[in-house]
Amino acid sequence: SKYRGHGGNLKTRSTELGSAVTESSLTAVLPASTTVKKSVVLSSESRTELAKQAKVIKEERRAQIDGRHRYLISRLADGIDLSEQQVEETIISDDKFELIEQFFAPSGLKKLLFFSQDVLQQKLDASSKSTNSLPQKKLFITMGSTEDFTGTCAFFLRTSDGLITASNVSQEVNFGMFDCTNGNILQGLEFFLSQIMIPALKSQQNWGAVKEGLKNSQIQDFLYSVDKFVGTLSSSRQNIEDKIELTKVDIDIYVKNLQNPSDYITAG
């Protein structure tokens, strides 16, 4: 299953995303001041220097990795079916690496998102010496507001405003996944709520200050509202999928001969 809690484990991992760190990662890890426009042809010396700078930045980031990062990496590796080494290389090559540190900080980001989906990568055709854009599966950090969501989203949510440490990360951070294969967000949300969240809520024994738990009327009303929302979501999705598309009609041919009110009445 692509959907699992933060404690889930997968023993088998594919290498489908073995090429997640692509040629574009060279500029991804470099500060904006060191990157260049794609239209500029770099000399071999410039490319070598950029590669050296990228390697230095990656190693600096690798040195920052501790138990908190290892927790995130292990959860992503299980969820996305990658090796932990592949995930590590991906995140230290990502230009949004600093979002991880912001997530760990006191009163930091409440969520940390990763998308795993096809993105267009620039590939050089050696025979024609031209550049082609080809879709390739890639794992990357995102704010969730700039890229189209067409694949799988792995998310981490923090449960408090305190500092996330190596000793408390497993208690303070929750992990989950949301599938949006082929861009069908409504279907993915419906499945996530109906098959993951609602069963988890209905089996939950501890409701904090509410001692009665599931017997409490407010808890029952809440669960009823969630069930009702999922039903409405399912109905809306089916209506959208079964929508009727009307053909655009050129009305000029019908109205050009209408001269007086009686003609309009007859036409109606």
Side-chain angles (χ1 to χ4, degrees):
S1 175
K2 293 184 179 180
Y3 305 88
R4 52 179 60 80
H6 67 273
N9 289 308
L10 274 178
K11 294 184 178 179
T12 59
R13 299 189 176 97
S14 71
T15 57
E16 179 187 1
L17 303 185
S19 57
V21 181
T22 65
E23 296 174 1
S24 62
S25 64
L26 177 65
T27 56
V29 298
L30 293 174
S33 60
T34 61
T35 57
V36 295
K37 294 182 179 180
K38 294 181 179 180
S39 59
V40 177
V41 178
L42 297 178
S43 65
S44 58
E45 292 81 3
S46 297
R47 292 185 63 84
T48 300
E49 181 60 27
L50 285 175
K52 288 180 179 179
Q53 293 182 39
K55 183 177 180 180
V56 169
I57 293 174
K58 286 177 62 176
E59 292 309 313
E60 289 176 349
R61 291 173 175 176
R62 197 189 308 276
Q64 298 176 30
I65 292 179
D66 55 25
R68 301 171 300 173
H69 300 80
R70 292 296 176 194
Y71 176 81
L72 304 187
I73 290 172
S74 65
R75 300 282 76 78
L76 287 170
D78 285 343
I80 308 297
D81 291 349
L82 286 173
S83 70
E84 293 189 9
Q85 182 180 4
Q86 288 172 323
V87 175
E88 179 179 324
E89 288 297 319
T90 297
I91 66 174
I92 64 175
S93 302
D94 200 296
D95 61 345
K96 294 185 177 65
F97 178 82
E98 71 279 358
L99 293 182
I100 298 178
E101 300 307 314
Q102 295 175 23
F103 179 73
F104 290 148
S107 301
L109 296 176
K110 301 301 181 185
K111 66 180 184 298
L112 182 63
L113 305 179
F114 292 80
F115 284 177
S116 174
Q117 59 192 29
D118 287 335
V119 296
L120 292 179
Q121 300 287 349
Q122 298 292 329
K123 293 294 183 181
L124 179 63
D125 189 333
S127 59
S128 62
K129 295 184 179 181
S130 60
T131 302
N132 299 321
S133 296
L134 300 175
Q136 183 177 4
K137 186 81 77 176
K138 184 180 179 182
L139 174 68
F140 57 93
I141 306 170
T142 176
M143 290 296 291
S145 58
T146 55
E147 299 89 358
D148 291 334
F149 179 30
T150 59
T152 300
C153 173
F155 58 86
F156 295 92
L157 305 176
R158 54 184 299 159
T159 59
S160 72
D161 290 331
L163 174 67
I164 302 299
T165 66
S167 60
N168 69 14
V169 63
S170 60
Q171 290 79 39
E172 298 292 337
V173 175
N174 293 324
F175 171 71
M177 297 185 66
F178 180 78
D179 186 30
C180 182
T181 305
N182 299 323
N184 196 331
I185 295 179
L186 291 182
Q187 186 175 26
L189 179 60
E190 179 186 342
F191 182 89
F192 179 73
L193 291 175
S194 63
Q195 302 300 317
I196 306 297
M197 294 305 299
I198 290 180
L201 289 171
K202 289 183 176 180
S203 64
Q204 183 168 308
Q205 300 298 318
N206 183 9
W207 287 84
V210 182
K211 302 302 182 182
E212 297 173 297
L214 293 173
K215 296 180 180 179
N216 182 274
S217 60
Q218 291 181 321
I219 299 298
Q220 292 177 2
D221 289 343
F222 167 71
L223 294 176
Y224 172 77
S225 298
V226 177
D227 273 326
K228 187 176 181 180
F229 172 76
V230 173
T232 302
L233 180 65
S234 177
S235 176
S236 298
R237 178 183 60 80
Q238 293 175 17
N239 289 338
I240 292 174
E241 292 175 351
D242 297 335
K243 65 182 179 181
I244 299 175
E245 295 186 1
L246 300 178
T247 303
K248 185 177 179 180
V249 177
D250 185 2
I251 64 173
D252 289 344
I253 60 175
Y254 297 101
V255 302
K256 65 180 181 180
N257 294 323
L258 301 180
Q259 303 297 326
N260 52 59
S262 61
D263 292 335
Y264 283 94
I265 293 174
T266 302

